[in-house]
Amino acid sequence: MDNARLGHALDSREGKENEPIATKTRLGWTIFGTCLDDHPKASTTPFSFHICSHTNGEDELHVAVKNYFSLDSLGITVPGKELLSVEDERASKILRSNTFLENGRYTTSLLWKYDDVRLPNNKAMALRRHHCLLKRMEREPELGEILKRKISDYLRKGYILFNANKPGKVRIVWDAAAAIAGTSLNSVLLKGPDKLEPLPFVLYKFRERRIALSGDIEEMFHQVKMNEEDQQSQRFLFQDDKEAVEPDEYVMTVMTFGATCSPCSAHFVINENADRFAEDFPAAAEAVRKNHYVDDMLVSVNSEAEALQLAKDVLFIHQQGGFKMRSWISNSSTVMQALNGSDSSDRNLDLNKEAVVEKVLGMWWNIESDQFQFKLSKRRHEDLLSGVKIPTKREILSMLMSIYDPLGLIANFLMPLKLLLQEVWRSGVTWDEPILARLSSWKCSNP
């Protein structure tokens, strides 16, 4: 009875009458029910279960392809308002209770699944991983120097604190998914409700009006402080001195990229901060809430003056919560000049010498012609594109999925390849078998 909470039912699944019931507790899932042959309503075969959950690489590929083809329906229907699950309700309650603004910066907490979480001591595992990282640093000294500069930068900005009981420096090895005795930090954290605007909707609105504008929040997760109690669950190791016996311990004082709850918590803080200014800066507050996708903002307005005013107001709102917008890009050189002091951007990634192309939410955007562009690596697929090599099912899928088109702008060009992939799937050809071994009679009407 001292541990009755471990047997408390958190969830359940029920079949038909007289069939077993599955109940989820803090110890896992339990299946129970009638399985006696002499029961008046029992089947002739007793219910007996042995369940083994297993996935391999090919299973994951099948799921990936299924999800990929489901993207074709994006934008056709508008997702309705969904009821929050029990876990999302708990996450929302924690965020509302534990998030506050102090001295211009927000502080929040981790989204724990349970009130009393006890994590196993994973220092031995962390030390083993640290040892592997040390060897890698020896092989890649340039990477080691980058990490050292990053740690120094984190110390300067106050993102990490040093354990005064152990002088020295640290090596980053935090990984919230790393498990010890079957338990990781992420396994006891809630993901939280997904309140992001759907990606296609953000991109649609980005293409609506004449002047397009994009920017991102600098180190967004690290601008949100973590409460002192939860900081102890964000320890990591670093060692600058090769001769040291053990690495030194630090704790992250801010939100990390590794925690599964970080995206939800950061988005909650961003929206909470915007709501404070909804009355005085309605357009900017709306842009923060509806035109942000994680740390990127994509908006479009009717004029350059409107773009500059919106950028100024968004900058102000974010600054009041400790966030900084940066890397502004626009299809207007005037807007670029005003925001960056130059009509060029450090983020520029040229597809060719003439075009000035930027990456926005995975899309290649030519800011001079104000067009989305698509590219396929000729070097990577040279043998396939030239017809020298017969492709396998894996290579066809790789080529198809390397073209990112969430808005379906070139769906008519990709359709023949999708039809080919479906036909390959029906043939039963294996992943690494040349497709003509099974499809010698198949011909594409739209090559």
Side-chain angles (χ1 to χ4, degrees), residues 89 137 145 186 206 250 270 353 362 393 410 430:
E89 286 281 7
M137 310 301 273
E145 290 302 316
N186 275 348
F206 183 60
Y250 279 68
I270 291 293
K353 293 182 179 180
K393 182 167 75 172
I410 56 171
T430 60

Side-chain angles (χ1 to χ4, degrees), residues 229-381:
E229 181 179 355
D230 289 347
Q231 288 177 14
Q232 297 306 313
S233 298
Q234 299 187 157
R235 298 184 186 184
F236 66 97
L237 306 174
F238 180 82
Q239 180 177 325
D240 193 11
D241 183 4
K242 295 181 180 180
E243 304 301 323
V245 178
E246 287 189 353
D248 301 306
E249 296 181 9
Y250 279 68
V251 295
M252 289 291 292
T253 64
V254 294
M255 190 181 295
T256 68
F257 287 97
T260 190
C261 60
S262 291
C264 171
S265 298
H267 189 67
F268 176 85
V269 169
I270 291 293
N271 286 350
E272 190 81 359
N273 183 60
D275 286 344
R276 297 194 294 138
F277 302 94
E279 185 175 344
D280 295 331
F281 304 97
E286 180 74 5
V288 172
R289 293 188 61 88
K290 300 296 184 182
N291 294 87
H292 272 62
Y293 193 81
V294 192
D295 57 345
D296 289 300
M297 184 186 78
L298 277 70
V299 297
S300 62
V301 292
N302 294 318
S303 67
E304 293 171 338
E306 188 178 354
L308 291 173
Q309 185 61 51
L310 181 63
K312 177 183 176 182
D313 293 344
V314 168
L315 273 169
F316 173 78
I317 289 177
H318 281 315
Q319 286 172 353
Q320 305 315 300
F323 302 99
K324 178 183 177 182
M325 288 292 291
R326 63 174 183 179
S327 304
W328 293 100
I329 54 175
S330 174
N331 58 342
S332 165
S333 59
T334 301
V335 173
M336 289 275 284
Q337 177 74 29
L339 294 176
N340 297 324
S342 172
D343 58 1
S344 63
S345 171
D346 292 337
R347 294 170 55 185
N348 181 33
L349 298 170
D350 288 347
L351 289 177
N352 55 63
K353 293 182 179 180
E354 289 78 27
V356 179
V357 181
E358 302 285 350
K359 202 75 174 290
V360 289
L361 294 184
M363 301 285 289
W364 294 103
W365 178 37
N366 187 321
I367 63 175
E368 293 182 350
S369 63
D370 193 18
Q371 295 175 331
F372 281 142
Q373 297 181 352
F374 302 86
K375 68 173 183 176
L376 187 65
S377 174
K378 292 184 179 181
R379 181 176 57 84
R380 180 182 176 188
H381 303 291

Side-chain angles (χ1 to χ4, degrees), residues 41 71 106 119 125 180 223 266:
K41 292 186 179 181
L71 291 175
Y106 278 90
L119 294 171
M125 178 189 66
I180 184 72
Q223 307 313 313

